[in-house]
């Protein structure tokens, strides 16, 4: 069984001093790699250094909607310059997007659109953050004529919303939220969605699965998410793991974890 954590903040300081042990424990659970999303320009170097220090780790470059106020157009220019160089192990643009619960959408939207444009220009997939904005994300992708692939990370919407996003080129990120019985809408959605549209993620250290303390999430728990998904869908974990692995490589555009 081979699993890839499609979205994990493994560069965060909370993993300092224990990354090797975390990766070893995750490997025992079948995890062969992970993807580290970008959040802020000051973190990009740390993200790339973390990925390059370990086999199986890849990363994204982007500006998260929570932090747009900290950035200027110079940072977008710097992002464009970096992406134009096709840096080693950088495989997507993001984490970018919209968040209705953190800041103003009017301020976030230009940054999201600018990163969509860069991803299109340099032929990268997108990694999208969306909190209560799935309809707006879909509308923005349509308005900007997005024709690539994207990860709608941390999905917690309805089946109807997910279907529209899939039609717009999105894979749906399945994380720890599905392990919580109260998340009925999301559990029902992932049970019905086509398997070829799903990928696994932890969003560690956040988005903790059931039984894990807030802030203590880790790639180690990716297997728990897989087993929960198998139960929800009524499918064998081994069968799911193979399909989800293929989906993750299709999303990020290459055979990265062979």
């Amino acid at each position: 069984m081979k699993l890839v954590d499609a979205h994990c903040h493994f560069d965060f300081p909370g993993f300092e001093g224990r990354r090797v042990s975390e990766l070893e424990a995750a490997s025992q659970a079948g995890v062969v790699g992970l993807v580290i999303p970008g959040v802020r320009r000051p973190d990009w170097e740390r993200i790339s250094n973390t990925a390059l220090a370990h086999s199986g780790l890849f990363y994204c470059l982007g500006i998260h909607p929570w932090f747009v106020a900290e950035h200027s157009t110079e940072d977008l220019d710097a992002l464009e310059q970096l992406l134009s160089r096709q840096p080693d192990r950088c495989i997507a643009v993001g984490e970018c997007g919209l968040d209705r619960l953190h800041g103003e959408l009017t301020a976030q939207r230009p940054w999201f659109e600018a990163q969509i444009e860069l991803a299109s220009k340099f032929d990268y997939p997108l990694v999208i953050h969306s909190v209560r904005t799935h309809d707006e994300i879909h509308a923005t992708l349509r308005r900007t004529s997005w024709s690539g692939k994207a990860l709608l990370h941390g999905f917690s919407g309805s089946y109807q919303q997910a279907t529209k996003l899939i039609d717009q080129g999105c894979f749906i990120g399945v994380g720890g939220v599905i392990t919580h019985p109260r998340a009925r809408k999301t559990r029902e959605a992932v049970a019905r969605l086509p398997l070829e549209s799903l990928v696994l993620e932890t969003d560690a250290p956040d988005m903790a699965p059931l039984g894990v303390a807030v802030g203590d999430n880790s790639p180690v728990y990716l297997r728990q998410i897989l087993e929960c998904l198998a139960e929800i869908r009524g499918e064998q974990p081994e069968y799911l793991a193979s399909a989800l692995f293929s989906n993750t490589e299709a999303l990020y555009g290459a055979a990265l974890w062979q």
Side-chain angles (χ1 to χ4, degrees):
M1 183 181 293
K2 295 194 294 187
L3 306 174
V4 175
D5 190 341
H7 187 107
C8 175
H9 295 280
F10 203 57
D11 65 300
F12 277 16
F15 288 110
E16 198 68 41
R18 59 188 184 94
R19 290 193 180 92
V20 171
S21 61
E22 287 285 340
L23 289 173
E24 289 175 350
S27 177
Q28 293 299 311
V31 179
V32 298
L34 56 85
V35 179
I36 307 171
V39 176
R40 303 161 60 247
R41 182 183 179 184
D43 302 334
W44 293 345
E45 183 176 5
R46 184 184 71 205
I47 288 167
S48 63
N49 287 342
T50 300
L52 293 171
H54 306 277
S55 63
L57 272 59
F58 295 81
Y59 69 97
C60 319
L61 292 173
I63 297 170
H64 192 289
W66 288 7
F67 305 108
V68 295
E70 299 179 14
H71 294 80
S72 69
T73 55
E74 291 180 359
D75 299 308
L76 285 173
D77 292 341
L79 179 58
E80 180 171 11
Q81 291 173 13
L82 280 171
L83 294 172
S84 71
R85 299 172 194 156
Q86 303 284 312
D88 188 28
R89 298 209 213 171
C90 177
I91 56 173
V93 173
E95 172 178 1
C96 56
L98 303 172
D99 191 321
R100 193 177 298 279
L101 300 185
H102 201 293
E104 298 294 330
L105 296 186
T106 53
Q108 297 168 12
R109 191 171 288 110
W111 292 87
F112 181 37
E113 293 179 354
Q115 291 175 86
I116 293 173
E117 182 178 347
L118 290 176
S120 294
K121 180 176 181 178
F122 296 111
D123 195 25
Y124 280 103
L126 280 168
V127 172
I128 300 173
H129 173 101
S130 175
V131 175
R132 298 191 184 179
T133 57
H134 293 340
D135 294 333
E136 289 86 350
I137 293 290
H138 175 260
T140 303
L141 292 174
R142 286 199 63 181
R143 186 174 63 253
T144 56
S145 300
W146 173 252
S147 59
K149 296 175 181 177
L151 169 61
L152 200 294
H153 133 73
F155 179 77
S156 59
S158 68
Y159 172 78
Q160 291 76 16
Q161 288 174 318
T163 299
K164 289 171 62 178
L165 289 161
I166 291 166
D167 289 344
Q168 199 61 43
C170 292
F171 288 78
I172 301 300
V174 180
V177 65
I178 69 163
T179 66
H180 297 273
R182 67 178 182 274
R184 288 193 297 271
K185 180 173 65 174
T186 304
R187 287 164 61 93
E188 290 170 0
V190 300
R192 297 173 59 194
L193 290 171
L195 178 55
E196 59 268 23
S197 69
L198 305 179
V199 298
L200 288 181
E201 61 171 326
T202 63
D203 194 32
D206 299 320
M207 209 161 74
L210 187 67
V212 178
V214 173
D216 285 348
N217 198 10
S218 160
V220 172
Y221 300 114
L222 198 65
R223 180 68 172 264
Q224 178 181 342
I225 297 168
L226 169 72
E227 291 173 352
C228 180
L229 182 63
E231 180 180 351
I232 290 171
R233 292 180 62 92
E235 295 167 335
Q236 291 299 313
E238 293 78 8
Y239 169 73
L240 276 181
S242 177
L244 294 165
F245 180 84
S246 296
N247 295 348
T248 306
E249 293 203 314
L251 162 65
Y252 288 121
L256 302 173
W257 295 280
Q258 300 299 329

